[in-house]
Amino acid sequence: NIYRHGYTKFRIILIKKQKESFQMEHEDSKWKEKFCEAYIYAITAQAGWKVAKWNVDEGLIDATIDTCINHVEGLQSPYKIDLQLKCTGSPQTNNNEFISYNIKDKHITKIKQKTFTDPFYFILFNVPKEKNHWINHEKEGIDFKTILKYCGYYYEFNPENNDLTSTPTIRFDKKSIFDINFLNKLISGFSTYKDYSQYKIQRLKTLENLISK
């Protein structure tokens, strides 16, 4: 009886600890999601883009951001990209040049099933382990500056070279920073409407070829 009583007490304590751990992980995930959201809104606002959709945890695509391209002919064209957002406080680094991140099997399955009519990017946010260190406010002269730590890295999923079907690991180049320069570079090659239309036609042809295989 003593043994059974001790075992039951141990099980109760263990279950309680497991629940507490799950709640802490859930809370941590929720705050990381909010930090990612703040980062995306800050960068898109600075670049003159906007967040068109925000669907975290409702599918493979967490967010869609878009902008309007002004061509030299006086015409305008829409341009958008889809994002899958990840956040970690314990990055796996490789020679300080790459950060590795393992994608869940369910996401790989969705990738295999989806046709990407628009560019699709994985964005990995690297943050300090302690939530209190995610944002710093520093005095600069008579003003203050706000610093988001650390930053987001991007990886473009290329449907023609789907290496995620063979390995669940993505290697994020630390030079591939998700910032205003990245967003500006995406549309820099579409100064004329002809450039833009040829890009759209080529992308659709690529998807048609992949589907027909």
Side-chain angles (χ1 to χ4, degrees):
N1 290 337
I2 295 176
Y3 171 79
R4 291 180 61 185
H5 176 73
Y7 177 76
T8 301
K9 186 176 181 180
F10 170 77
R11 288 286 297 169
I12 293 174
I13 294 174
L14 180 61
I15 293 172
K16 183 179 179 181
K17 292 291 184 181
Q18 289 175 337
K19 287 183 178 180
E20 291 176 352
S21 177
F22 174 79
Q23 289 173 350
M24 290 177 63
E25 290 179 4
H26 179 71
E27 287 292 313
D28 183 63
S29 177
K30 183 174 67 175
W31 300 134
K32 284 179 178 177
E33 175 187 315
K34 292 298 182 183
F35 185 82
C36 291
E37 183 177 353
Y39 188 102
I40 292 293
Y41 271 99
I43 296 300
T44 52
Q46 184 187 25
W49 290 49
K50 63 180 174 56
V51 178
K53 293 181 182 179
W54 195 268
N55 299 307
V56 175
D57 294 334
E58 292 185 13
L60 183 63
I61 298 172
D62 290 330
T64 299
I65 62 176
D66 64 18
T67 188
C68 186
I69 302 174
N70 295 305
H71 304 294
V72 294
E73 300 92 338
L75 301 173
Q76 292 183 330
S77 299
Y79 185 87
K80 65 179 180 178
I81 62 175
D82 297 321
L83 309 175
Q84 165 71 211
L85 310 177
K86 302 297 178 185
C87 188
T88 179
S90 303
Q92 302 176 27
T93 59
N94 183 2
N95 297 326
N96 293 322
E97 295 181 2
F98 296 90
I99 294 180
S100 297
Y101 190 89
N102 291 332
I103 301 298
K104 294 180 179 179
D105 291 340
K106 66 177 183 179
H107 287 149
I108 295 178
T109 301
K110 290 179 180 178
I111 288 173
K112 292 178 181 178
Q113 298 170 343
K114 193 169 182 62
T115 56
F116 296 95
T117 55
D118 297 300
F120 174 67
Y121 291 86
F122 285 95
I123 309 296
L124 177 65
F125 295 94
N126 178 25
V127 297
K129 290 184 178 181
E130 295 294 330
K131 182 158 59 69
N132 291 337
H133 297 162
W134 291 358
I135 300 177
N136 282 356
H137 302 285
E138 299 179 1
K139 191 171 179 60
E140 190 176 63
I142 61 174
D143 298 314
F144 282 86
K145 61 180 179 181
T146 299
I147 301 174
L148 302 181
K149 297 175 66 175
Y150 296 108
C151 66
Y153 304 96
Y154 67 85
Y155 173 92
E156 182 177 9
F157 171 73
N158 183 353
E160 293 183 274
N161 182 26
N162 186 1
D163 53 355
L164 289 182
T165 57
S166 57
T167 173
T169 302
I170 294 180
R171 297 178 73 215
F172 292 85
D173 191 332
K174 283 192 171 183
K175 295 178 182 178
S176 301
I177 300 176
F178 183 85
D179 59 8
I180 183 175
N181 296 321
F182 164 66
L183 294 180
N184 287 338
K185 186 178 179 179
L186 287 178
I187 59 175
S188 62
F190 305 130
S191 59
T192 68
Y193 180 76
K194 182 179 179 180
D195 294 332
Y196 174 80
S197 60
Q198 287 179 342
Y199 156 78
K200 296 293 287 186
I201 291 171
Q202 183 58 46
R203 187 169 185 89
L204 288 174
K205 284 183 177 179
T206 299
L207 291 174
E208 287 176 357
N209 291 335
L210 290 172
I211 294 172
S212 63
K213 286 183 178 181

